[in-house]
Every structure is written in structure tokens, then in C-alpha cells.
Amino acid sequence: MAAVKQEKSVIMDWLTTVDHKKLGIMYLIAGTLFFCKAGLMAVFMRIQLMFPENTFLSGQTFNEFITMHGTIMLFLAATPLLFAFMNYFIPLQIGARDVAFPFVNALGFWIFLSGGLLLSTSWFFGGGPDAGWTAYVPLSTQDRLGIDFYVLGLQVSGIGTLISAINFLVTIVNMRAPGMTMMRLPLFVWTSFISSTLILFAFTPLAAGLALLMLERIFDAQFFVPSAGGNVVIWQHIFWIFGHPEVYILVLPAFGIISEVIPAFSRKRLFGYTAMVFATMIIAFLGFMVWAHHMFTVGMGPVANSVFAVATMTIAVPTGIKIFNWLFTMWGGKITFNTAMLFASSFVPTFVLGGVTGVMLAMAPVDYLYHDTYFVVAHFHYIIVGGIVLALFAGLFYWYPKMFNHKLNETLGKWFFVLFYIGFHLTFFIQHILGLMGMPRRVYTYLEGQGLDAYNMVSTIGTFFMTAGVLLLVVNIIYSAFKGERVTVADPWDARTLEWAVPTPVPEYNFAQTPQIRSLDPLFYEKIHGDGTMKPAEPIDEIHMPNGSILPLLISIGLYFVGFGLIMLEMENALINPWIVVVGGFAITFGCMAVRSIKEDHGYHVPIDQIKRELPRKGEK
């Protein structure tokens, strides 16, 4: 029989939580820390390249930084930051009280963090991985312990990402409120749904590839050794079958955030909703078909190169539909240029520039000139930073009041935008020119007298602007926590979607009564055709909630030790037998899974009296 909620200390409450909102905040904090760490590495690398023949970093350290920067930014910063918003807002936007599997949700977070920490442990054992974030073989099969941390860390972290994506899919399919049909889903939910589908199909080949690499490195398999019948190009295919969809795994939810912010601050419905949904599907489908455009110079031949070139260029069509729909949404709207809208609207031209250089790179013959130059670096940073990071900042300023019950300071926010945006273009636009001049990527120094000095100096100064902007954001967060405008109303932006219908702060059960959805933009519909509040689809009754559990944390600790024990097999003079660590890790993991399977946990009920007390009084919004 369900019991009442167990009271815990604050620390134990957060360590054992299965609440999607708290897990969203934990993803936000973890992703931000990884973002700052990888960003600091980027600043160090740019300082190294500020002058020709600089000696600020050694070549080995530069290689380790460049590998960890790319790996952390994509796997451990951008992904969890998007998962933060997906965790917090998908249930709220579809009218659900939680995700489908709260326990699995917590498990996904802790496993992701455990993998990230395992990767970071490499710094204490001789240095980080140094084979680039793509870990091309045979470079990644060399005898370097850091690469073992890369392989096992990403393997563990990927399990967390994969089960979280499955959870999002089941939640969106099964947990929607009455009336919330698929074609009434907010764009952020749609893009999260498709992104989760991509994770399902893209992370599995990555897991297989990492397993092959692990077997090769630790157990002397021969998958990538040509003299033993192996093939090094197989790794490139496996990696890019994951690697190219990974871009869309990140950028599609970013599109979703932009599609929420622009209508809210343009005071207009999103233009071409149906076209946006189908454009997202087409982008995702084509994103899986074009992996080999990363391999034009491998020698696949003119026919294969042509097919992948044309398929790549085709992606510009559905992307163009999205660009025009965002512009038409703003067209004639009553636009409020606050910080969120500044980031969202500036996203559009920046992303277009990244897309245009993408089409240039898709031309296979010309790609031979661009290949492995700074032109490629500039292109993907216009997509990753100019697209995804700008969208993340837009989403942060937009949803911050709902997550933390106060707004971020707008003056500091606009200065942050100015510094970051100028710094971004100074850093990366100039790198197009460096690439066209032939400066190769991944080099830690260059000779003077090649005309590269001034451009590299400008690029580095740009990173200082971006760093100053991020520091200003930190100041803003601290300042706003104490002095920021408190938010006590549900809808401080006069927005349109369902998350703004729940009270601020959001109750643990989200909705006292499951809402009845009557339209796309359901809250806006009720403002126009109703009394401004959502109509309930059920009477007030006790609400069943899941209990927290420490088991997800313990399972992730077990997996950490499994990974670390396998890495110890490659260590010289390990303190204890590595197999003891491996077996111990498995024992913790499977032991916790057994406890979860055997122990009955029926959750608890929120009583009706408490729900009625917490209901907004009539007239409150």
C-alpha cells in the first residue's frame, strides 16, 4: 500500500530524487561545469595560437586539450544542457506529472555523470586522450592510457544518454494530457522526440564501435589492423554513422527552443507549424544518410562522393523552411527584444552562415581544398556555438523564471549577449579566412611570415570577449539569486504553451488536475476563448508519486568501477588486481539491480487536502 512521502535531508533528497524537475536542474549544473571546463581548454589553446611559435602549451598538452575540448563539449556539455530543458519541460509541456520511468530518468543522469567523471579521471593517470574527438584508428590504437579513459568513459556515459532518450520517447508517446494530439505538441517536444529517436539509432553504432576499439586496445583484437585482415576505414564509417546524426541530435532541440522563444516574444503563433514538424523529420532522416561527406578525401570514388554530396545539399531545403518560418513568425509581430529574444533572433542569421559554409563543404571536389583546414573548424563552430549555444542561452533566459522562481537581470543579460556575440564572430569568422589561406587544423603552432599572425591574434581576442561574456553570466546568476525580480505568477512572459499554466514554483506533482487540451498553444487559447486557466480533465483526487531512491547513484558508481577496472588492465604496476575492481563494480551494479527488482516500492500519495491548499486561489495566475 502506498505510504506518505519520506522526509530527508536536503543532500539526500537531491541524491535520491527521481523528480524530473530536480534532475533537469542537476543536468543543467553538470553540463555547465563541463561547459566551463571545456571552454577553459579552448581559451588555453587560443592563447597558444595567439603568436607564432608560442610555447604556452606543449604539443602533447595541446593534443590532449583539443581532444578533451571536442569530446566534452559534444558529449558532456551540449547534450546534458539540452537534456536539462528536456527533463524539466517535456512533462510540463505535454501535461504530465512526470516522465514515464522516473527511476530510469535518475539512472540516466547518474550514469551519464559517472561516464563523464571516468573520462576526466584520465588527467590523474598520465594525461587525457590525445587522438582527437573522432579517435581515428590507428592513432587511437596507440599505447596511450588516456584513450582507454576515452573509450570506457564514453561507453558508460552513452548508456545514460541512451536510456534517457528511450524514457523521453515513451513519455511523449504515452503521457500526453487528453486532447494533446501529436500535431498539438509544442515544437520543443517534437524536436526532442525526433532527437531522442536519433539517439536511439545513432548511439548504438557508437557503442558497437567503442566496444570494438576497447577489445582492440585491451584484449588485442585485430578489427583495425590491415595486416591481420582488419580495416581502418571501418572505424571512420562507424564513427560518422553516429557522428553526423549527433549534430542533429543537438541542433534539433535547439531549433525547438528557438521555436518556443520567437513566438512568445513576437506575440504571434509560430508560422507554418505543420511544415516545421515535417521539416524536422526530413532533416533527421537525411541526417542519417550523409555520414560519408566527412570522408570525401578517404577515396570512396566519384560516384559515392557525388551521392553523398547531393544528399547533403538537400538538407538545406527543410532547413530553409525553418529559417523562413522563424522570419515570418517575427514579421509583423509585436517583438520584445529582451535577452532571450536577442539570442533567439541572432541565432537565425548566424546559423544560416554556418549552413551556407556547410553547403560549400558538401561540394566534394572543393572539399579537397577545405579538408582539415580551419575553414572546417569555423563551419562547425558556427553550427555548434552559433546554433546550439545561442539557443541554449535563449532557453536559459526564457525558462529561468519557471525553474528558479526569479528572473535573470536583463541589463547584465544584454551586456552578456553583446560581449558573447561580438566575441563569437571575432573568434570564428576570421577562421574561415585562415582556412582558405591553408592553415591546417589541430596544429599547436605555426611559423611567422605566413600571413597568419594577425588573424590568429584577432581570433584569440575574440575568445577573451566570449570568456568575459560567460563570466558576466555567472555574475548575473549570483546577483539575480539575491537581487533578481521574484516571480510569483505562473506566466511572467504572457506566453502561449502549457508549462506557463502551472504555478511558480512548480508543485512536485506539476498539475493538480490533468489539463484538457483544446488547441495548439493551449494556454493562449484559454486566454482568448476561456478565463485564462486550463480546463481540468479530471476531478481533484489523491496524486500518486514515486519514491526517491539511492540505487541509481549506486548503480552508476558500480559502472564507474567496472570501467576503471578495465582501464587498470592497461596500467603498469596497478596497486591491486584490476579484475577485483571489475568484479566489484559488477557486483555493486547487479546487486543494486537485484534489490530494485525484489524490493517492493509503491510510491506515495499526495493527499487531497494538501493539493487543495496549494491550488492557486481564484483570481491568481
Side-chain angles (χ1 to χ4, degrees):
M1 181 177 175
V4 296
K5 184 180 181 182
Q6 300 169 356
E7 294 299 326
K8 299 175 182 172
S9 67
V10 174
I11 294 176
M12 280 306 292
D13 185 44
W14 282 86
L15 290 179
T16 60
T17 188
V18 295
D19 183 344
H20 71 97
K21 299 181 288 296
K22 288 180 178 174
L23 286 165
I25 291 171
M26 289 159 72
Y27 268 116
L28 190 65
I29 294 170
T32 302
L33 292 176
F34 280 120
F35 177 83
C36 292
K37 178 183 172 183
L40 197 58
M41 291 178 195
V43 173
F44 286 164
M45 287 188 289
R46 280 312 319 170
I47 291 173
Q48 166 62 23
L49 293 170
M50 197 171 181
F51 306 103
E53 300 183 75
N54 199 0
T55 55
F56 180 71
L57 297 177
S58 68
Q60 177 60 33
T61 306
F62 189 91
N63 282 346
E64 292 172 14
F65 276 12
I66 211 165
T67 302
M68 287 293 268
H69 169 76
T71 307
I72 291 175
M73 278 297 188
L74 288 170
F75 290 97
L76 306 175
T79 304
L81 288 172
L82 289 165
F83 271 27
F85 293 134
M86 290 158 76
N87 249 292
Y88 203 105
F89 290 104
I90 284 177
L92 294 179
Q93 287 196 325
I94 65 173
R97 293 204 168 102
D98 208 323
V99 293
F101 308 115
F103 181 91
V104 174
N105 200 21
L107 186 62
F109 168 76
W110 288 113
I111 292 179
F112 140 74
L113 186 62
S114 149
L117 293 176
L118 181 59
L119 176 64
S120 300
T121 308
S122 59
W123 294 115
F124 302 100
F125 291 88
D130 58 355
W133 85 281
T134 52
Y136 274 9
V137 293
L139 200 57
S140 59
T141 52
Q142 293 180 355
D143 187 20
R144 288 279 303 162
L145 197 62
I147 300 171
D148 293 311
F149 282 96
Y150 170 95
V151 173
L152 271 301
L154 290 191
Q155 192 73 289
V156 172
S157 177
I159 296 170
T161 305
L162 192 59
I163 62 175
S164 296
I166 293 169
N167 207 358
F168 289 136
L169 288 172
V170 179
T171 301
I172 295 168
V173 170
N174 287 330
M175 306 282 285
R176 289 172 284 126
M180 179 64 84
T181 61
M182 290 300 282
M183 291 311 287
R184 285 179 179 172
L185 287 176
L187 242 295
F188 179 64
V189 179
W190 254 118
T191 52
S192 300
F193 180 79
I194 294 171
S195 175
S196 299
T197 309
L198 289 179
I199 289 174
L200 194 63
F201 290 102
F203 268 65
T204 36
L206 175 68
L210 289 173
L212 296 183
L213 195 53
M214 179 192 73
L215 292 170
E216 179 115 350
R217 290 187 58 80
I218 299 178
F219 300 105
D220 298 325
Q222 310 286 318
F223 300 110
F224 306 118
V225 181
S227 59
N231 189 331
V232 293
V233 180
I234 287 176
W235 170 261
Q236 294 191 30
H237 280 290
I238 292 174
F239 185 86
W240 288 117
I241 284 173
F242 148 79
H244 194 74
E246 167 70 5
V247 177
Y248 297 99
I249 286 169
L250 300 176
V251 86
L252 290 180
F255 287 170
I257 293 172
I258 299 301
S259 302
E260 299 295 322
V261 175
I262 286 181
F265 296 116
S266 299
R267 300 286 180 268
K268 280 179 67 182
R269 182 177 184 171
L270 181 67
F271 185 90
Y273 169 85
T274 306
M276 293 289 261
V277 171
F278 284 98
T280 307
M281 293 180 187
I282 293 169
I283 291 171
F285 176 76
L286 291 174
F288 254 108
M289 301 293 121
V290 296
W291 78 89
H293 70 208
H294 295 271
M295 302 164 57
F296 281 151
T297 57
V298 165
M300 295 183 298
V303 175
N305 279 3
S306 301
V307 169
F308 283 102
V310 172
T312 303
M313 293 180 197
T314 310
I315 297 179
V317 177
T319 307
I321 290 172
K322 285 181 168 290
I323 297 292
F324 280 109
N325 282 354
W326 288 321
L327 293 176
F328 288 141
T329 305
M330 287 187 276
W331 183 268
K334 189 178 177 182
I335 299 177
T336 303
F337 275 114
N338 54 18
T339 310
M341 188 60 178
L342 284 172
F343 274 111
S345 54
S346 63
F347 160 95
V348 177
T350 310
F351 189 78
V352 167
L353 191 52
V356 168
T357 54
V359 174
M360 293 168 71
L361 285 163
M363 294 184 283
V366 189
D367 186 74
Y368 279 79
L369 298 177
Y370 302 135
H371 186 76
D372 255 348
T373 70
Y374 258 85
F375 191 89
V376 180
V377 178
H379 160 69
F380 68 69
H381 279 92
Y382 262 79
I383 299 298
I384 302 293
V385 183
I388 298 160
V389 175
L390 292 185
L392 284 168
F393 288 144
L396 181 71
F397 277 82
Y398 177 56
W399 279 317
Y400 203 86
K402 185 58 70 181
M403 298 177 80
F404 298 101
N405 314 326
H406 62 268
K407 291 183 180 178
L408 288 171
N409 183 276
E410 274 297 314
T411 305
L412 290 174
K414 286 175 181 172
W415 274 110
F416 161 50
F417 167 75
V418 170
L419 285 172
F420 192 87
Y421 201 64
I422 291 174
F424 163 73
H425 285 291
L426 277 179
T427 304
F428 296 112
F429 188 81
I430 211 84
Q431 291 181 2
H432 291 106
I433 301 171
L434 282 170
L436 292 174
M437 292 173 71
M439 181 171 173
R441 59 193 287 205
R442 301 191 182 107
V443 293
Y444 84 103
T445 190
Y446 52 93
L447 297 174
E448 62 180 336
Q450 296 179 317
L452 305 174
D453 308 16
Y455 294 115
N456 274 298
M457 171 69 79
V458 171
S459 184
T460 302
I461 291 172
T463 61
F464 296 156
F465 274 80
M466 293 169 74
T467 306
V470 173
L471 289 175
L472 198 58
L473 174 63
V474 175
V475 171
N476 193 351
I477 290 170
I478 297 170
Y479 173 82
S480 301
F482 295 99
K483 300 286 186 181
E485 179 186 344
R486 302 294 111 175
V487 174
T488 56
V489 296
D491 182 17
W493 302 125
D494 190 21
R496 311 171 71 86
T497 41
L498 197 53
E499 75 269 30
W500 302 105
V502 296
T504 308
V506 183
E508 60 180 316
Y509 44 80
N510 294 352
F511 298 90
Q513 296 165 281
T514 302
Q516 179 68 47
I517 308 302
R518 301 200 289 173
S519 171
L520 181 68
D521 290 346
L523 181 59
F524 179 77
Y525 181 88
E526 297 300 337
K527 290 176 184 175
I528 300 300
H529 300 283
D531 61 1
T533 59
M534 296 306 300
K535 301 290 176 288
E538 61 179 7
I540 295 179
D541 199 355
E542 288 186 340
I543 297 173
H544 177 257
M545 299 296 292
N547 279 324
S549 172
I550 196 70
L551 293 178
L553 173 59
L554 297 179
I555 290 173
S556 70
I557 291 172
L559 286 175
Y560 177 94
F561 282 113
V562 171
F564 189 74
L566 289 172
I567 294 167
M568 285 176 69
L569 290 169
E570 295 295 293
M571 291 181 184
E572 294 179 3
N573 305 318
L575 290 177
I576 59 174
N577 188 327
W579 287 111
I580 295 175
V581 181
V582 174
V583 173
F586 274 124
I588 294 172
T589 300
F590 286 109
C592 291
M593 292 168 69
V595 170
R596 175 66 182 175
S597 302
I598 295 167
K599 183 183 174 187
E600 291 191 0
D601 183 355
H602 297 294
Y604 65 95
H605 280 166
V606 181
I608 293 178
D609 291 345
Q610 180 183 339
I611 298 167
K612 286 183 176 176
R613 279 200 309 274
E614 293 173 352
L615 273 176
R617 290 190 294 273
K618 194 169 184 180
E620 288 184 349
K621 291 184 179 178

